[in-house]
Amino acid sequence: MGAAADTAALKRLALEAGAAACAVAAAGPLAALPRFRSALAAQEGPVPAWLARGPERRAGIRTWDPAARSVLVCLFPYWNSSLDKDFASLQPEDPETFLRDAGRKKINVPLLERLKSSGAKPMISRYALSRDYHSSIREALEAVLSRAAGVFPGLEGKVFCDTSQVMEKPLAAAAGLGWQGRNTLLLNSRLGSWFFIGGFTLNLDFAADVQPEYPGCGSCRECEKACPSGALSGGRLEISRCLSWHNTMETAGGPFPGERSGWAYGCDDCQKKCPFNEGASGTVPEFLRPLRS
Ligand code: B12
Ligand code: SF4
Ligand code: SF4
């Protein structure tokens, strides 16, 4: 088969469905497993059991889908720099009702109360100003996969977006879509870091993209300096310190360091001053547009 041409046809389907960038990786082992292990081993606080369980499951995508031969990885922007001026006006009056209506299941209600009684205006982070992305991105990717199956006879695959053991950032980096910055997130020269990662496995061989040279973070340390809870150092994140952990996953406890920064759901501080987000220019697909825009 003319692999390069076929890969272009596959990517076109993903771009038409709202991805701002996509690339193909081979379904081989990922070099990031030792770094994953060492990042977990370096955690000072408790590590969530679902993250620590069987790290070798993350060695490569074939442990998740043994039929995989290639992977299509896509980046879906939820924000770009032209929206920054609207951040305040996109915040809802009633954060709790807004979050529930948007499909968020875990909300730190005691934190919301503490923020309100301290006089702070609770902030919802950029990624959560739209409808919960898990189902909308899954639907978009399922539709791409089924259209692709119409073009490539025998094609089958499995969709991932956030909920599986797939190490999505290293996988996207292996596909050539960017690099992991000091805030641990995937950065892309054009899109910054304001995007979700999702994709699907392919049981057929598609030509893998080559990894371009990336500028990397250089001597920048803006994210580490900006983190209100001191969760970032040396390219690693201390999960038990991250506000996003406390306000979206482990939502019972508190007060915790840095909460006076005002983040009620998620936290954007390690991305806001990232130089690569200054000119982030990804087109936000309709299904990820802020609900109040
Ligand atoms: C668990 C999780 C969280 C946890 C822990 C985050 C973390 N960094 O580990 C919490 C709840 C805190 C969280 C928060 C957020 N998350 Co989250 N999260 C995940 C999830 C499910 C797994 C990530 C993981 O494996 N963590 C475990 C640790 C060990 O991995 P790691 O930090 O990536 O480890 C790397 C570095 O430590 C580095 N490293 C280790 N040692 C060393 C040494 C050196 C020298 C260097 C340079 C690097 C290095 O290599 C490791 C391996 O890649 C992924 C989805 C997925 N399945 O991949 C989404 C995901 C990473 N999250 C996402 C998002 C959007 C967020 C938030 C921005 C949301 C918000 N606004 O609040 C924040 C960002 C916080 C941050 N700075 O990371 C997106 C990121 C998109 C992107 N651009 O990269 C993902 C990919 C979900 C998705 N499908 O889009 N998240
Ligand atoms: S999301 Fe907030 S608390 Fe977590 S690492 Fe980034 S800046 Fe720190
Ligand atoms: S703020 Fe600087 S160090 Fe942090 S991720 Fe962005 S470029 Fe890298």
Side-chain angles (χ1 to χ4, degrees), residues 223 226-229 231-232 237 241-244 267-270:
C223 48
C227 175
S229 62
L232 294 170
L237 176 140
R241 280 188 164 270
C242 181
L243 295 181
S244 184
C267 166
D268 290 336
D269 284 349
C270 57

Side-chain angles (χ1 to χ4, degrees), residues 114-135:
R114 289 198 296 279
L115 288 174
K116 276 185 222 147
S117 60
S118 73
K121 174 118 180 68
M123 288 182 292
I124 294 175
S125 82
R126 286 157 174 73
Y127 87 104
L129 288 170
S130 49
R131 192 168 302 288
D132 187 284
Y133 61 99
H134 296 93
S135 46

Side-chain angles (χ1 to χ4, degrees), residues 156-219:
E156 286 177 13
K158 233 173 123 177
V159 168
F160 58 87
C161 180
D162 198 30
T163 52
S164 75
Q165 74 216 38
V166 175
M167 286 200 289
E168 294 172 341
K169 295 173 285 183
L171 182 64
L177 289 167
W179 72 99
Q180 275 183 263
R182 287 202 170 88
N183 57 10
T184 76
L185 295 170
L186 189 84
L187 304 190
N188 172 282
S189 310
R190 181 168 61 93
L191 308 174
S193 60
W194 303 126
F195 53 79
F196 300 114
I197 304 171
F200 51 80
T201 50
L202 300 149
N203 64 340
L204 305 177
D205 282 313
F206 283 81
D209 281 279
V210 264
Q211 281 179 270
E213 281 291 315
Y214 279 108
C217 291
S219 57

